[in-house]
Amino acid sequence: MEVKQSPTSSTDYDTIAERYAAEIDVRPWNALYERPTTMALLPDVAGRDVLDAGCGAGWYSEQLAGRGARVIAIDRSARRVAITKKRLAGRMRVIEADVTDLREVFADMFFDVILCSLVLHYITDLTAAFSECARVLRREGVLVFSTHHPFDAEGFDAKPRGRDGYLHAEVIEEEWEWLGTMRYWRRPLRDITEPLNHAGFSIERVCEPDPAEALRIADPKGYARLERVPAFLFVRARKTRWD
Ligand SMILES: C[S@@+](CC[C@H](N)C(=O)[O-])C[C@H]1O[C@@H](n2cnc3c(N)ncnc32)[C@H](O)[C@@H]1O
């Protein structure tokens, strides 16, 4: 798999941290599409050790704690860590860390469940990310993630995609009216599933949800787009191989 320079240098999550935190919990695509689907893929987390990997503004960490999990939240952005710490007010550890290298942070087999929502498309080296997830998960541990769909609904209708063809990963750069310039990977499915498998995971569920009726009311244009092309890919995988 071709791995280019990290595309994340201009998706500056420190700079956009406050704007993101102010809006993310009420944005229809997140509140009515991404979050319900991701939450539905989680196993019972009560009494389990759960990592929120790439916690952003901390919504998932809060939900997981509300379901009785022992949660640790990490994010690569110092500003986002600060925002999540404030939100959660001492209820859990929130650590500045990179999911592609957690060796200094967590011992092997520390967690039962990892949740990684809308993070992987900002990461160049998915082999490293999935390998670290496998390392810190216990045997039969579960990884739930959402990521931009290979067909990339956000820009699918607006711009030509896949200049070198669907099978070639590429960095997309676009202007989001609420956040500014964003850069992320659009990848074919195999560039997600192969490193996942290589790290020792077996896929249990893959979801491409229909948009909910509530989204049609809250965001008719977004609903229409999601009826044509999914925005995100949702996966539950289990660590089934280890040395
Ligand atoms: C779109 S936000 C998603 C936040 C949260 N999971 C949610 O769904 O609301 C992406 C987050 O991933 C974080 N991130 C990106 N690359 C990361 C990495 N390698 N390790 C840890 N966090 C990362 C960013 O700082 C940002 O907070």
Side-chain angles (χ1 to χ4, degrees), residues 112-159:
D112 301 300
V113 176
I114 298 176
L115 172 66
C116 190
S117 154
L118 299 181
V119 176
L120 297 174
H121 43 273
Y122 298 110
I123 293 177
T124 300
D125 189 351
L126 283 194
T127 299
F130 288 141
S131 299
E132 275 301 81
C133 287
R135 184 185 67 75
V136 301
L137 271 176
R138 297 183 178 126
R139 294 174 182 191
E140 303 286 342
V142 170
L143 167 65
V144 170
F145 67 85
S146 62
T147 187
H148 282 205
H149 193 278
F151 279 117
D152 181 23
E154 183 73 60
F156 189 82
D157 291 330
K159 300 173 209 152

Side-chain angles (χ1 to χ4, degrees), residues 33-34 37-38 41 145-146 205-207 209 232-235:
Y33 179 71
E34 195 276 334
T37 313
T38 301
L41 281 180
F145 67 85
S146 62
R205 297 274 312 275
V206 175
C207 294
F232 307 128
L233 184 73
F234 300 86
V235 173

Side-chain angles (χ1 to χ4, degrees), residues 19-152:
R19 254 176 295 153
Y20 179 93
E23 283 207 36
I24 191 66
D25 290 351
V26 295
R27 289 195 72 85
W29 274 32
N30 295 80
L32 302 173
Y33 179 71
E34 195 276 334
R35 288 176 173 176
T37 313
T38 301
M39 290 300 286
L41 281 180
L42 283 170
D44 181 6
V45 294
R48 302 296 187 87
D49 292 302
V50 180
L51 175 66
D52 184 1
C55 62
W59 185 88
Y60 277 106
S61 301
E62 196 167 38
Q63 296 295 315
L64 292 162
R67 290 185 176 198
R70 286 186 298 274
V71 188
I72 299 180
I74 63 163
D75 201 283
R76 195 172 56 180
S77 154
R79 284 297 308 142
R80 293 200 159 192
V81 166
I83 287 168
T84 298
K85 273 188 176 159
K86 196 168 162 197
R87 176 181 198 146
L88 298 168
R91 286 161 65 200
M92 67 185 67
R93 287 170 67 200
V94 186
I95 304 168
E96 186 180 339
D98 188 322
V99 71
T100 63
D101 186 1
L102 298 170
R103 283 169 300 179
E104 301 287 312
V105 192
F106 302 120
D108 295 358
M109 299 201 285
F110 197 88
F111 294 101
D112 301 300
V113 176
I114 298 176
L115 172 66
C116 190
S117 154
L118 299 181
V119 176
L120 297 174
H121 43 273
Y122 298 110
I123 293 177
T124 300
D125 189 351
L126 283 194
T127 299
F130 288 141
S131 299
E132 275 301 81
C133 287
R135 184 185 67 75
V136 301
L137 271 176
R138 297 183 178 126
R139 294 174 182 191
E140 303 286 342
V142 170
L143 167 65
V144 170
F145 67 85
S146 62
T147 187
H148 282 205
H149 193 278
F151 279 117
D152 181 23

